[in-house]
Amino acid sequence: MEMLSDEIKSEIQCGTGACPTRRCAILEALEIVQRRHGWVSDERLKAVADFLNLTVEEVDGVATFYNRIFRRPVGRHVILVCDSVSCWIMGFENILVHITKRLGIGFGETTPDGRFTLLPIQCLGACEQAPAIMIDGTLHGDLTPDKIDEILKGYE
Amino acid sequence: MARIYIDNVQYEVPEGQNILSACLSLGFDIPYFCWHPALRSVGSCRMCAVKQFRDENDARGHIVMSCMTPADDGTRISIDDNDVREFRAGVIEWLMINHPHDCPVCDEGGECHLQDMTVMSGHVYRRYRFKKRTYLNQNLGPFINHEMNRCIQCYRCVRFYRDYAGGRDFNVFGINNRIYFGRCNDGTLENEFSGNLVEVCPTGVFTDKTLRKHYARKWDMQTAPSICPHCGLGCNIIVGERYGSLRRILNKYNHDVNGYFLCDRGRFGYEFVDGPSRIRQPLSRHDGDRSDGSLKAVEKKEALDLFKGISMDSARTLGIGSPRATLEANFSLRQLVGAENFCCGMSEHEERLVSSIIDILRNGPTYSPSLRDVEMCDAVLILGEDVTNVAPRMALSLRQSVREKPMEIADSLRIPRWADASVRQAVQDEKGPLFIVSPMGSGLDDIAARTLHIAPDDIARLGFQVAHEIDPDSPPVLDLPDELGRFAAHISAALKSSRRPLIVSGTSCGTLSVIQAAANIAWSLSRTERIAALSYTLPECNTLGLRLIGGLSMTDCFQKVLSGEVDSLIILENDLYRRAEALLVKGVLAKCKHVIVIDHILNRTGKESDLILPAGTFAETTGTLVSSEGRCQRQFSVMPPAGQTQESRIWISDVMAALGKDSAVNYSTIENIASEIAREFPVFKDLTEVSPPVNFRVFGQKIPRQAHRYSGRTAMPANVTVHEPKPPDDPESPLSFSMEGYSGIPPASVTPRFWAPSWNSCQAVNKFQKEIAGVSTGGDSGKRLIEPLTTENGVYFSELPEAFNFDNTKWVVIQSFHIFGSEELSSLGDSVSQRIPNPYIGLNGDDAASLGKDNGCMAQLIIGNVSLKLPVRIIPTLCSGLIALPVGIPGLEGVNLPAMGKIMED
């Protein structure tokens, strides 16, 4: 099977057209692959390297530098729990404990049904809504345990 | 000069340096990790902190990184200030957090920069009591061992491997405390200079895997300065020995030649010395039948008696020398058999090319650059060479030369050149002009401005046209295709707009006109008021030296044998089967009544001889080699030859004595031979000054090959005697086989190791330089024999070859080179042999298709009398109409190329 579909290839081509060197295109290309497949497997990483005419080492060096380029499979939805100062003051630990109990997973883990992956994040830039989490790019603020149950229902 | 103040004492230092290298040059100790004199400053490790003061009234000062701060006039710093000492102690403490403290089992232990710096910065007590971060290691191939837990994240490895050496299969991964230096997956490091990681890495992450097989600590090794025997460049090496076996090769800094780095063939190619093909005992054939290989061991005296028994009628004895043997050994043989019976042991074709190169260098206005000069050139044209595989270390220098021109960008932004990160940021992927015109792709294609793959004759024609574009007085090429004409104009424009142009060519194409075209270009550039450099690569470590001595051609020599004029053939360190077709060599050897071989490895020639005298390898030989630059350098034995082995030249002088020749005394010591050579050949007039004389002493003492901590000198032979034996004499050099002697800094050419108090690692070299990355304290090493004739313009060559015309049946078979495999001695080692490619017939994709061949298909190639059946390898970059055959690879020796070939129909 072709590791990168023509569609992804053309998206990479178009997203990285303005890059002065091939190395500049790495991050953009990895994001495109991750958007489509949820994470970047070794095989797809190699395909990206081949497509950009770079070595796997050059691409993986970038991929492993950014902790939000996922090099292992993640659930259908990724929950990022902010553990930074404002959220800590506002009690992010209660939120975390609640999510952990509710889903039965800790940081870095994925629910057995492949629905959620739970990860920490240093700051979501939403201190005024602390404690805050982000699920798949959507910010949820001013959280309480009840609110969380409601929010999680929205993600299947 | 800039005046700087260090702890309130005034010093003068050259302008334009950073504080770290200025202080190190002055002899101060400042700890550092990420800075390397060749890789320059990035300021990442924070180890080299010093305190800087605004002026003499500033009592508080502020901490700066010395590697990132210019040593401008008036700079005031303190190295000893309490704040900055504490700061450095803090830095080393956190760098050491995850370090496993496994020094006793670490190969780096005792020569570890991390150990040295830890002690220097006063980190003596470990406070961290938590779990350490650990990693999985990778198998990085036969040369390099990987142990990531020892890493302190200085980034030197990746900066050397990627930025300096251009390797792409290695990188840094992860972030934070998960940083990992290695490959994506296990696998051999592909770069030809990977071995330098051993010296570049300040700790034991990357260590020498070949050393691991027979490990000894640095202080337990007997070491000697030597010259690498594995190509023509003459890189300086330090050879290490213990218990009579060779343990490892380290780089020996020589400002003009190899600087801080070696290639992997030079570093790991030593294993042949103790390999299975080594000869340790004289061998003689008793029954006279050469076919069954029945060689029996005999004693030295018996061997010499046998020699005496052989008729040595001088008119009926021929001597064949060797481009891989020393000048002294070759010259001794020449004296034994007489100049008119001495053959220099190169194929006639090769000899013609080398002679032409020597004439060009001796009679022209261009100079043959040192590798250091190569690095400084700002426009390069490579004509017909695969430098990476023929003269590897030069490829590393050429990689630096393409950075020369873009440095103007950094200069214009007033970024000091030592600020490596800033310079690379400013320069980005900008490269100076490097053009490669060759029959097929080479290892430098990735940095070339343009490459062109054409047949050797067309390469010459293009070269002639480039010269004509530069100087209309040089002969034009009238019927050059437009495309080539435009390319020639493009190249000549780039060369003309450079300050220090360099032309690289050599014998690899096997085409005289390519060599001449390179000369025409260099000479035409010299007429435009430029200093043009002209570098020719040569195949072996003493090719140039041997040709300067000269002798019969191989063809004449064989002719003499075949016409029955010769009874005895004496072959010095030379496998004739690598020089000529097997059938011919077999005939020649069969025709001689007596074949005597002096060599250290048992090759095919040896197997068909009557008497073999076991010689010393480079590790047991003191002698002189002449590099392709024309630099005469001396190698010193690291150990006395064991048992029955002797240096080749000693065998020859013993033979002379056995035969009762009066002249024997003249050839008994290296100094006598050197002065004989100098007397006979004016070009070698400085030969006796290549290194200090035999009676050279410092305070009456010799220079010890063993370190002052050398252990076990009484215990080592305890199974034989409990009395301490007298160390072996070395009457041939100012070095001794012992611990006793002068422990300071000796002249550069006889420096056996780099060590200084507090500096146990190879970076002690700092203490052996007048200034950091400058010339050695002990003066120059080696003498250049050939200097340009500034009064001459050079008479242009005008014999143009015909354009290459492929008629679909007659293929031109050219040589393809492999860093591992094309050279005879290194290929015999266990580690290098794992990297040798299988023999192949290289074809361009279209040509292979037209023959109905795919990658891996068997094909039969006929060259003259030789028929080869080998798998096809598709080489996309190979010029159409050419066949590439890997040269010298086991199974393909003795095919003289270029030649016409025919592919047989299936």
Side-chain angles (χ1 to χ4, degrees):
Chain A
M1 195 192 76
E2 188 65 34
M3 270 298 150
L4 292 186
S5 64
D6 291 344
E7 204 182 323
I8 289 190
K9 280 183 184 166
S10 67
E11 208 181 326
I12 293 176
Q13 198 86 63
C14 152
T16 61
C19 294
T21 70
R22 284 167 295 154
R23 273 174 297 142
C24 301
I26 297 174
L27 190 54
E28 182 73 26
L30 290 169
E31 280 187 328
I32 290 167
V33 171
Q34 180 160 310
R35 258 203 305 277
R36 173 62 56 97
H37 297 284
W39 67 293
V40 183
S41 65
D42 286 355
E43 294 75 18
R44 291 210 169 84
L45 184 110
K46 165 112 179 48
V48 169
D50 291 346
F51 183 64
L52 294 176
N53 200 8
L54 294 166
T55 63
V56 279
E57 280 78 11
E58 283 158 343
V59 178
D60 206 16
V62 173
T64 53
F65 181 83
Y66 292 101
N67 56 6
R68 301 221 15 237
I69 296 290
F70 303 130
R71 291 286 282 110
R72 279 191 225 165
V74 289
R76 290 194 294 284
H77 309 289
V78 177
I79 306 173
L80 302 173
V81 179
C82 177
D83 60 0
S84 200
V85 181
S86 301
C87 288
W88 173 67
I89 292 172
M90 297 303 286
F92 95 95
E93 278 134 323
N94 295 336
I95 305 296
L96 179 63
V97 167
H98 186 76
I99 296 175
T100 306
K101 270 200 191 136
R102 197 45 215 279
L103 301 177
I105 52 171
F107 274 147
E109 293 173 352
T110 302
T111 53
D113 59 359
R115 195 168 151 220
F116 288 112
T117 295
L118 188 63
L119 293 172
I121 191 162
Q122 274 68 37
C123 185
L124 285 166
C127 299
E128 80 285 3
Q129 306 175 45
I133 65 171
M134 184 179 265
I135 306 181
D136 297 348
T138 312
L139 184 70
H140 302 278
D142 297 321
L143 293 177
T144 62
D146 292 346
K147 245 181 162 176
I148 285 177
D149 291 346
E150 207 48 41
I151 290 165
L152 292 183
K153 271 185 210 156
Y155 294 92
E156 263 319 306
Chain B
M1 296 296 268
R3 249 173 308 163
I4 65 168
Y5 301 85
I6 303 171
D7 290 307
N8 292 322
V9 181
Q10 184 188 308
Y11 297 91
E12 294 228 329
V13 297
E15 306 260 1
Q17 297 187 65
N18 58 58
I19 294 177
L20 177 59
S21 53
C23 289
L24 291 171
S25 295
L26 289 171
F28 289 96
D29 289 348
I30 299 180
Y32 62 85
F33 288 115
C34 65
W35 176 84
H36 182 285
L39 305 177
R40 303 174 180 176
S41 309
V42 289
S44 79
C45 74
R46 320 313 280 172
M47 194 67 237
C48 66
V50 295
K51 201 176 233 189
Q52 186 172 20
F53 303 91
R54 265 190 300 280
D55 50 47
E56 60 268 44
N57 301 318
D58 178 6
R60 246 175 75 198
H62 57 287
I63 289 176
V64 296
M65 295 310 125
S66 61
C67 74
M68 297 297 281
T69 313
D72 291 334
D73 198 37
T75 301
R76 284 179 175 271
I77 60 152
S78 169
I79 301 172
D80 263 345
D81 181 271
N82 258 343
D83 292 347
V84 77
R85 288 173 83 103
E86 255 174 53
F87 180 91
R88 290 195 299 251
V91 171
I92 188 73
E93 184 168 13
W94 86 55
L95 287 177
M96 291 287 286
I97 288 270
N98 284 311
H99 188 75
H101 281 186
D102 59 344
C103 308
V105 296
C106 175
D107 283 6
E108 194 88 352
E111 53 179 321
C112 177
H113 189 64
L114 180 59
Q115 283 180 335
D116 290 348
M117 297 300 106
T118 306
V119 172
M120 194 181 285
S121 46
H123 172 50
V124 291
Y125 182 77
R126 186 176 185 81
R127 292 186 292 173
Y128 181 77
R129 299 249 167 260
F130 309 96
K131 273 203 167 165
K132 294 176 188 174
R133 179 75 177 86
T134 57
Y135 299 87
L136 290 175
N137 302 318
Q138 293 179 327
N139 181 353
L140 298 177
F143 298 151
I144 303 288
N145 195 66
H146 193 214
E147 178 54 68
M148 251 313 284
N149 290 343
R150 297 172 183 146
C151 182
I152 55 153
Q153 290 86 36
C154 72
Y155 281 72
R156 266 190 184 189
C157 55
V158 75
R159 289 175 59 219
F160 171 77
Y161 196 89
R162 296 186 62 86
D163 297 352
Y164 197 90
R168 293 183 62 192
D169 59 332
F170 177 88
N171 210 348
V172 50
F173 303 95
I175 187 172
N176 200 336
N177 66 338
R178 291 176 283 114
I179 286 182
Y180 189 88
F181 296 91
R183 289 168 49 94
C184 237
N185 298 300
D186 287 39
T188 303
L189 287 174
E190 301 290 340
N191 190 273
E192 296 80 9
F193 306 98
S194 67
N196 294 300
L197 292 180
V198 172
E199 290 184 58
V200 165
C201 176
T203 176
V205 179
F206 301 102
T207 49
D208 183 337
K209 208 182 238 179
T210 65
L211 169 64
R212 230 177 147 70
K213 291 189 253 177
H214 39 229
Y215 185 72
R217 292 279 176 212
K218 177 181 183 180
W219 64 79
D220 278 344
M221 271 188 255
Q222 176 159 266
T223 49
S226 189
I227 305 300
C228 178
H230 299 301
C231 88
L233 290 177
C235 292
N236 293 200
I237 52 175
I238 292 175
V239 185
E241 171 270 353
R242 186 162 176 88
Y243 280 110
S245 80
L246 197 52
R247 300 304 170 97
R248 69 143 170 221
I249 304 292
L250 280 182
N251 181 65
K252 178 169 179 276
Y253 179 84
N254 182 327
H255 176 67
D256 294 318
V257 188
N258 44 307
Y260 291 90
F261 305 115
L262 291 178
C263 75
D264 286 0
R265 179 156 90 196
R267 188 181 296 268
F268 302 114
Y270 69 90
E271 290 176 312
F272 74 93
V273 172
D274 296 307
S277 25
R278 183 71 199 274
I279 313 167
R280 303 276 190 190
Q281 185 84 25
L283 300 170
S284 146
R285 195 180 312 277
H286 291 281
D287 47 14
D289 175 17
R290 293 216 186 106
S291 58
D292 64 352
S294 63
L295 285 160
K296 289 192 183 63
V298 293
E299 292 300 302
K300 179 182 161 188
K301 193 177 168 309
E302 202 182 338
L304 287 173
D305 286 345
L306 281 168
F307 211 121
K308 245 196 301 193
I310 294 169
S311 149
M312 286 295 289
D313 178 355
S314 59
R316 298 187 66 80
T317 303
L318 277 187
I320 299 183
S322 167
R324 67 167 158 87
T326 60
L327 276 182
E328 288 81 358
N330 276 302
F331 186 75
S332 300
L333 177 64
R334 182 177 179 271
Q335 297 311 103
L336 174 67
V337 296
E340 63 289 354
N341 296 321
F342 177 74
C343 160
C344 42
M346 299 176 220
S347 75
E348 180 154 8
H349 183 61
E350 184 184 329
E351 194 181 337
R352 203 164 43 234
L353 301 179
V354 178
S355 308
S356 160
I357 286 171
I358 292 174
D359 287 344
I360 289 166
L361 294 179
R362 289 176 88 171
N363 302 323
T366 50
Y367 77 104
S368 160
S370 67
L371 290 181
R372 166 88 187 155
D373 296 330
V374 168
E375 280 179 20
M376 315 282 277
C377 289
D378 58 353
V380 183
L381 168 63
I382 300 175
L383 274 191
E385 285 294 310
D386 178 0
V387 181
T388 311
N389 287 303
V390 175
R393 180 61 185 78
M394 187 190 280
L396 193 60
S397 297
L398 287 169
R399 240 171 226 289
Q400 313 319 311
S401 76
V402 296
R403 298 193 63 217
E404 194 57 30
K405 191 159 173 62
M407 279 291 180
E408 290 166 4
I409 300 171
D411 293 347
S412 70
L413 294 167
R414 295 212 264 160
I415 301 171
R417 291 188 175 200
W418 45 258
D420 191 60
S422 313
V423 167
R424 286 185 194 271
Q425 191 68 25
V427 166
Q428 290 290 326
D429 283 350
E430 204 64 41
K431 289 184 182 68
L434 171 90
F435 302 97
I436 305 177
V437 189
S438 61
M440 59 194 278
S442 75
L444 289 172
D445 288 3
D446 62 312
I447 53 162
R450 272 184 78 179
T451 59
L452 185 66
H453 303 128
I454 49 179
D457 286 343
D458 287 341
I459 295 174
R461 290 165 62 80
L462 179 86
F464 278 108
Q465 182 61 21
V466 171
H468 177 70
E469 294 270 350
I470 296 166
D471 177 14
D473 288 347
S474 84
V477 185
L478 297 172
D479 48 349
L480 202 67
D482 281 351
E483 191 207 346
L484 293 189
R486 276 195 301 276
F487 193 49
H490 183 60
I491 295 172
S492 60
L495 292 174
K496 273 199 287 192
S497 64
S498 70
R499 281 194 307 264
R500 290 180 301 274
L502 164 68
I503 316 298
V504 179
S505 188
T507 56
S508 308
C509 267
T511 309
L512 189 61
S513 51
V514 170
I515 291 169
Q516 295 175 338
N520 271 16
I521 301 171
W523 290 345
S524 66
L525 283 166
S526 308
R527 294 189 195 186
T528 60
E529 306 298 310
R530 268 178 196 79
I531 312 163
L534 175 60
S535 185
Y536 289 110
T537 68
L538 294 172
E540 284 165 275
C541 60
N542 203 14
T543 302
L544 191 62
L546 186 55
R547 188 62 201 88
L548 286 171
I549 288 181
L552 286 176
S553 80
M554 194 75 118
T555 314
D556 288 347
C557 169
F558 285 180
Q559 202 54 52
K560 273 191 162 188
V561 175
L562 292 174
S563 62
E565 292 172 41
V566 175
D567 292 334
S568 312
L569 197 56
I570 307 174
I571 303 166
L572 171 72
E573 301 186 32
N574 203 339
D575 182 4
L576 300 187
Y577 282 98
R578 291 182 74 88
R579 309 282 171 191
E581 275 177 25
L583 218 58
L584 177 61
V585 176
K586 214 169 178 54
V588 166
L589 294 180
K591 187 85 181 170
C592 294
K593 280 198 199 124
H594 309 285
V595 177
I596 299 117
V597 165
I598 306 173
D599 208 341
H600 45 76
I601 48 170
L602 188 57
N603 47 37
R604 235 172 118 187
T605 306
K607 283 177 189 159
E608 289 172 23
S609 66
D610 302 296
L611 180 63
I612 306 180
L613 304 176
T617 61
F618 74 101
E620 295 123 338
T621 297
T622 300
T624 317
L625 302 173
V626 184
S627 74
S628 55
E629 181 203 339
R631 187 181 294 267
C632 208
Q633 303 181 102
R634 188 153 297 161
Q635 56 177 209
F636 292 93
S637 63
V638 68
M639 52 186 161
Q644 306 274 320
T645 52
Q646 296 196 107
E647 291 182 40
S648 297
R649 65 182 170 84
I650 308 271
W651 276 117
I652 296 169
S653 79
D654 281 356
V655 165
M656 285 181 181
L659 295 174
K661 293 210 173 191
D662 297 337
S663 57
V665 65
N666 293 344
Y667 300 95
S668 56
T669 71
I670 194 148
E671 287 207 328
N672 288 350
I673 304 176
S675 44
E676 289 283 321
I677 298 175
R679 188 159 55 230
E680 186 145 355
F681 301 96
V683 65
F684 288 114
K685 63 182 188 317
D686 292 335
L687 190 60
T688 47
E689 281 151 42
V690 166
S691 78
V694 168
N695 60 8
F696 175 85
R697 299 288 182 277
V698 190
F699 301 129
Q701 293 175 301
K702 280 192 141 192
I703 298 143
R705 285 182 174 87
Q706 296 166 2
H708 60 292
R709 283 184 62 187
Y710 191 82
S711 57
R713 72 169 177 185
T714 50
M716 283 162 87
N719 58 334
V720 183
T721 169
V722 292
H723 304 287
E724 185 183 341
K726 177 179 174 295
D729 279 332
D730 183 1
E732 298 281 31
S733 82
L735 293 152
S736 70
F737 294 110
S738 102
M739 293 163 71
E740 282 87 7
Y742 176 63
S743 58
I745 295 180
S749 63
V750 287
T751 299
R753 79 189 70 79
F754 294 122
W755 182 89
S758 306
W759 295 79
N760 297 295
S761 79
C762 58
Q763 299 185 48
V765 68
N766 290 340
K767 302 286 180 190
F768 289 73
Q769 296 164 337
K770 280 186 184 142
E771 63 183 75
I772 296 301
V775 295
S776 298
T777 310
D780 291 336
S781 180
K783 283 258 178 256
R784 275 171 64 97
L785 298 181
I786 302 173
E787 293 298 346
L789 290 175
T790 42
T791 50
E792 289 293 320
N793 269 338
V795 182
Y796 285 126
F797 294 100
S798 54
E799 223 171 289
L800 297 175
E802 293 288 314
F804 175 63
N805 196 357
F806 178 48
D807 69 354
N808 267 324
T809 51
K810 274 195 185 152
W811 299 80
V812 173
V813 188
I814 56 153
Q815 317 182 81
S816 72
F817 289 84
H818 292 273
I819 176 170
F820 306 116
S822 294
E823 194 268 335
E824 181 184 9
L825 300 177
S826 59
S827 304
L828 298 167
D830 184 36
S831 308
V832 166
S833 67
Q834 296 173 40
R835 300 283 308 273
I836 300 178
N838 290 321
Y840 59 82
I841 292 174
L843 283 168
N844 164 310
D846 293 343
D847 290 350
S850 74
L851 291 164
K853 302 283 183 194
D854 208 349
N855 230 349
C857 282
M858 294 305 277
Q860 193 175 8
L861 173 65
I862 311 280
I863 306 167
N865 299 327
V866 182
S867 163
L868 297 162
K869 200 161 183 190
L870 296 169
V872 167
R873 180 194 274 199
I874 307 272
I875 303 174
T877 54
L878 182 64
C879 165
S880 179
L882 303 183
I883 290 175
L885 207 57
V887 58
I889 294 231
L892 290 181
E893 304 97 335
V895 186
N896 272 325
L897 299 178
M900 300 307 274
K902 226 166 69 182
I903 295 268
M904 297 305 284
E905 300 285 329
D906 288 327

